[in-house]
Amino acid sequence: MKIALLGYGKMGQIIEHFALERGHEIVLKINIDNQEDLTVANLRKADVAIDFSTPDAAIDNIYACFDANLPVVVGTTGWYGQLQEVKNDCLERNNALLYGSNFSIGVNLFFHVNKVLAQVMNNFPAYEVQVEEIHHTQKLDSPSGTAMTLAEGIIDNLDRKSEWVNELVGTPFEDVIKKEQLLIESHRIENIPGTHTVVYSSEVDEIEFKHTAHSRSGFALGAVVAAEWLEKRQGFYNITDIFDFK
Ligand SMILES: NC(=O)C1=CN([C@@H]2O[C@H](COP(=O)(O)OP(=O)(O)OC[C@H]3O[C@@H](n4cnc5c(N)ncnc54)[C@H](OP(=O)(O)O)[C@@H]3O)[C@@H](O)[C@H]2O)C=CC1
Ligand SMILES: O=C(O)C1=N[C@H](C(=O)O)C[C@H](O)C1
């Protein structure tokens, strides 16, 4: 498979490693300093694009792939406010896009367990719930996309929660959390690849479910596997469409 990398930073470079290891070829690398190379002609040299750029860059990169009719895997987070418009355009133009807040198998297992547990916790109103995430200090968005996905999984399955609010610890936060709100507490600490915890707490105990990434390898390998899955497909997908956690 011929791959175009959109974003050649921490993730792009690790994705390159796994792609080459799996016998693929990198035919285009786009970063902030060679935007002029992001052309339909250049994109059409690839079979699939993989975007791990920035929240502000992802939409333009996605539409460049749509213009080139190139399937695109989007790992970049922080653009989900525009998800519906992107999905509509993708389907109208018969393109292919797969996105995911987290491409690691471990986190996608965590996403599934999180939803099942939230359903069970409807029977135990004594427990409050919150999500915590820790990432490196270079992360541009807060909360993490993974934390948003966890929070939405809880909101969709736990009747007593209807929205989430985010506190980036160390920045001003005056909100008084209402009982129907789910707090996502974000921490930024040097060199943390990604740690996510769902905490259910009562007066007498606390239950914690935690995923700790030891490196970015799980994310990167998952992105390459997702690109292999998407290459010959059309449509709009989420990474959870690849996993079958029956
Ligand atoms: N879904 C998942 O499993 C994962 C998602 N992510 C997400 O992926 C994104 C990237 O993460 P990470 O690699 O750590 O971040 P980095 O900052 O290390 O890499 C992003 C790269 O994109 C470059 N860039 C900036 N603007 C553009 C543009 N217009 N087109 C192409 N490239 C551009 C940046 O250049 P410069 O630095 O010069 O601005 C940088 O080299 C983040 O949104 C993060 O949340 C991360 C890990 C896993
Ligand atoms: O920025 C990162 O590093 C990561 N971002 C993703 C997110 O926002 O959830 C995935 C992973 O946690 C690493």
Side-chain angles (χ1 to χ4, degrees), residues 19-175:
L20 296 176
E21 192 176 73
R22 293 172 70 92
H24 303 308
E25 183 188 353
I26 308 298
V27 295
L28 184 64
K29 295 176 192 173
I30 300 292
N31 221 26
I32 187 76
D33 51 7
N34 70 327
Q35 290 293 296
E36 67 281 4
D37 293 339
L38 184 67
T39 64
V40 168
N42 280 342
L43 286 170
R44 283 190 168 150
K45 293 173 185 168
D47 301 308
V48 65
I50 301 177
D51 180 275
F52 281 78
S53 55
T54 69
D56 289 342
I59 298 293
D60 286 347
N61 289 344
I62 290 168
Y63 284 122
C65 293
F66 286 176
D67 291 343
N69 202 230
L70 180 67
V72 55
V73 168
V74 186
T76 306
T77 56
W79 60 275
Y80 296 157
Q82 298 175 79
L83 199 64
Q84 191 57 52
E85 300 98 271
V86 169
K87 178 178 182 178
N88 294 343
D89 190 279
C90 179
L91 298 177
E92 274 158 27
R93 292 204 268 170
N94 298 315
N95 275 304
L97 183 148
L98 185 149
Y99 77 99
S101 58
N102 200 303
F103 283 101
S104 72
I105 290 176
V107 164
N108 278 275
L109 275 166
F110 191 25
F111 286 156
H112 180 72
V113 170
N114 174 59
K115 289 188 277 192
V116 173
L117 180 62
Q119 284 175 355
V120 170
M121 295 309 278
N122 278 307
N123 302 312
F124 303 96
Y127 284 90
E128 179 55 275
V129 58
Q130 76 173 45
V131 176
E132 296 164 6
E133 56 105 345
I134 309 171
H135 283 88
H136 52 91
T137 51
Q138 296 165 298
K139 186 166 183 55
L140 298 176
D141 52 324
S142 173
S144 69
T146 302
M148 285 170 63
T149 304
L150 287 167
E152 285 156 9
I154 294 167
I155 289 163
D156 290 347
N157 290 283
L158 186 65
D159 299 340
R160 56 186 181 270
K161 295 296 178 184
S162 60
E163 62 180 17
W164 57 261
V165 290
N166 180 220
E167 177 188 2
L168 178 56
V169 173
T171 64
F173 183 77
E174 263 99 56
D175 291 18

